[in-house]
């Protein structure tokens, strides 16, 4: 009998975010595994914190399949679970976000499988406009931290990635970009490493790739606005300038709690609609009803957000950086996320010349 231990703890709220990209990836892999690979000769067992939020559909799936649950509060307790199996047991452990395990030791008999989503903290450890996401005392604390600890933070990130690559027996990554970034930065640890590239799974709703495509409410959509690496500051300033020039009519819906210190700089506030964190169904509805998705991120190991909009046939404007050209090919518009004028130029092109559904579907 094979035991598959699945870390769902990392699919629960993290760093103030109820939903996050890594967590959504874990949920999708979990459902796919349950639907396709969970068989009679496999005991699928899950680890999560029963006192924290976990999507109802996951809880229903666990109950429906009668899966064994380990109630854990942190990754240390998950490792303790792994040590309860004797050496003769065949155990596979999957961590969709393996980074918190970097300084822990796994039992030798456990086959550990981890997904490395890219090396953002090495490739893009900071940004000139990162400070714009803070105000008052938080801005001062950020300045002090950057002055005193930025080098140490970078060195720790290197150590985390190095140890994860070393400790997990099997690695999964989500793009050629991420694979070669690991080979470039950790050549010794990557030698003879068992590694696979799998693009993250997406699940069209109700089996219909473009269901609801006609329900367009004619707004531009942005998400994860509180995270500097998603580049919301530059993007909002670029949009605001277009509104001032009367070159843009659609409002922009921004999801993810854009910091007040950035909101205060907006001149055309009536053209922006702000949302905090919303439910998965509300976010799906937003993708379905937008006219265009704007994803001007500064770094991505894969970057699955545009795909969520593309399954409804939506035109996307994304950054021409890291893995994104590899992943999306000719199915989206691209821009330099550091160049305001180019961003504005391509945004106007994307609005006036939407990408055809046929071209999006071909991807």
């Amino acid at each position: 009998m094979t035991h598959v231990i699945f870390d769902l703890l990392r699919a629960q709220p993290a760093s103030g975010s109820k939903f996050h990209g890594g967590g959504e990836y874990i949920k999708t892999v979990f459902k796919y595994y349950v639907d396709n690979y969970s068989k009679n000769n496999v005991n699928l067992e899950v680890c999560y914190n029963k006192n924290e939020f976990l999507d109802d559909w996951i809880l229903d799936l666990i109950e429906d399949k009668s899966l064994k649950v380990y109630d854990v509060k942190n990754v240390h307790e998950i490792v303790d679970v792994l040590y309860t199996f004797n050496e003769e047991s065949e155990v596979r452990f999957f961590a969709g976000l393996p980074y918190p395990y970097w300084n822990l030791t796994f039992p030798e008999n456990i086959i550990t499988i981890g997904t490395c989503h890219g090396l953002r903290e090495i490739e893009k450890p900071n940004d000139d406009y990162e400070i714009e996401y803070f105000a008052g005392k938080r801005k001062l604390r950020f300045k002090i931290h950057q002055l005193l600890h930025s080098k140490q933070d970078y060195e720790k990130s290197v150590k985390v990635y190095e140890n994860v690559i070393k400790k997990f027996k099997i690695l999964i990554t989500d793009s050629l970009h991420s694979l070669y970034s690991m080979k470039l930065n950790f050549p010794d640890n990557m030698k003879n490493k068992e590694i696979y590239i799998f693009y993250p799974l997406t699940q069209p709703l109700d089996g219909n790739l473009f269901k609801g495509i006609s329900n367009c409410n004619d707004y531009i959509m942005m998400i994860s606005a509180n995270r500097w690496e998603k580049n919301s500051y530059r993007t909002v300033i670029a949009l605001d300038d277009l509104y001032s020039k009367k070159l843009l009519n659609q409002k922009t819906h921004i999801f993810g709690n854009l910091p007040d210190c950035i909101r205060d700089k907006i001149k055309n506030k009536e053209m922006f609609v702000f949302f905090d964190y919303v439910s998965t169904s509300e976010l799906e509805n937003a993708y379905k009803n937008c006219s265009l998705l704007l994803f001007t991120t500064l770094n991505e190991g894969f970057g699955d957000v545009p795909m969520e909009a593309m399954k409804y046939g939506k035109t996307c404007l994304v950054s021409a950086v890291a893995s994104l050209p590899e992943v999306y090919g000719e199915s989206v518009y691209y821009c330099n996320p550091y160049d305001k004028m180019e961003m504005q130029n391509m945004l106007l092109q994307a609005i006036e010349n939407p990408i055809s559904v046929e071209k999006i579907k071909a991807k």
Side-chain angles (χ1 to χ4, degrees), residues 205-215 288 311-313:
L205 299 185
D206 299 329
N208 186 342
L209 187 62
F210 300 113
K211 184 175 182 180
I213 188 173
S214 62
N215 298 331
K288 184 167 67 174
K311 71 186 180 186
Y312 297 112

Side-chain angles (χ1 to χ4, degrees), residues 18-209:
K18 189 174 185 180
F19 303 101
H20 49 97
E24 296 308 301
Y25 165 81
I26 292 169
K27 296 171 191 177
T28 304
V29 173
F30 175 69
K31 186 176 189 308
Y32 190 85
Y33 185 87
V34 171
D35 291 344
N36 294 278
Y37 295 106
S38 183
K39 301 176 181 178
N40 292 332
N41 61 342
V42 174
N43 269 347
L44 177 59
E45 304 168 19
V46 296
C47 301
Y48 65 90
N49 188 339
K50 291 184 176 180
N51 295 320
E52 295 289 339
F53 171 82
L54 188 61
D55 301 67
D56 287 339
W57 68 265
I58 297 180
L59 296 174
D60 292 341
L61 192 58
I62 291 170
E63 182 177 0
D64 181 61
K65 299 295 184 179
S66 301
L67 303 183
K68 183 174 182 178
V69 174
Y70 297 97
D71 184 15
V72 297
K73 295 181 177 60
N74 51 58
V75 294
H76 295 267
E77 294 185 5
I78 293 179
V79 173
D80 289 341
V81 168
L82 298 180
Y83 273 101
T84 63
F85 293 91
N86 59 51
E87 293 185 1
E88 288 73 35
S89 300
E90 185 177 346
V91 182
R92 291 174 176 261
F93 169 64
F94 176 76
L97 284 174
Y99 314 114
Y101 296 92
W102 72 278
N103 61 347
L104 300 179
T105 302
F106 294 112
E108 282 295 325
N109 61 306
I110 303 293
I111 299 174
T112 51
I113 306 167
T115 301
C116 183
H117 297 271
L119 276 61
R120 176 182 288 155
E121 284 78 7
I122 294 177
E123 295 178 347
K124 187 64 184 174
N126 49 57
D127 181 64
D128 291 343
Y129 287 120
E130 188 177 352
I131 195 169
E132 299 295 341
Y133 293 74
F134 303 95
K137 292 182 179 179
R138 291 189 68 213
K139 177 172 283 193
L140 178 60
R141 287 196 294 268
F142 173 79
K143 287 181 178 179
I144 294 172
H145 182 89
Q146 286 295 90
L147 182 64
L148 299 179
H149 302 292
S150 58
K151 182 179 179 181
Q152 294 93 319
D153 289 346
Y154 178 81
E155 291 174 347
K156 181 180 177 181
S157 295
V158 171
K159 193 68 176 176
V160 167
Y161 286 124
E162 182 180 35
N163 281 8
V164 165
I165 292 171
K166 185 185 301 182
K167 289 174 181 288
F168 279 80
K169 295 178 180 178
I170 299 174
L171 284 177
I172 298 170
T173 192
D174 43 21
S175 67
L176 280 169
H177 173 85
S178 295
L179 170 61
Y180 283 94
S181 186
M182 285 188 279
K183 287 186 174 184
L184 174 66
N185 288 281
F186 305 103
D188 292 336
N189 287 347
M190 289 296 290
K191 290 178 181 177
N192 303 317
K193 175 64 68 173
E194 188 174 354
I195 186 165
Y196 302 91
I197 299 174
F198 293 125
Y199 282 178
L201 303 162
T202 56
Q203 296 177 337
L205 299 185
D206 299 329
N208 186 342
L209 187 62

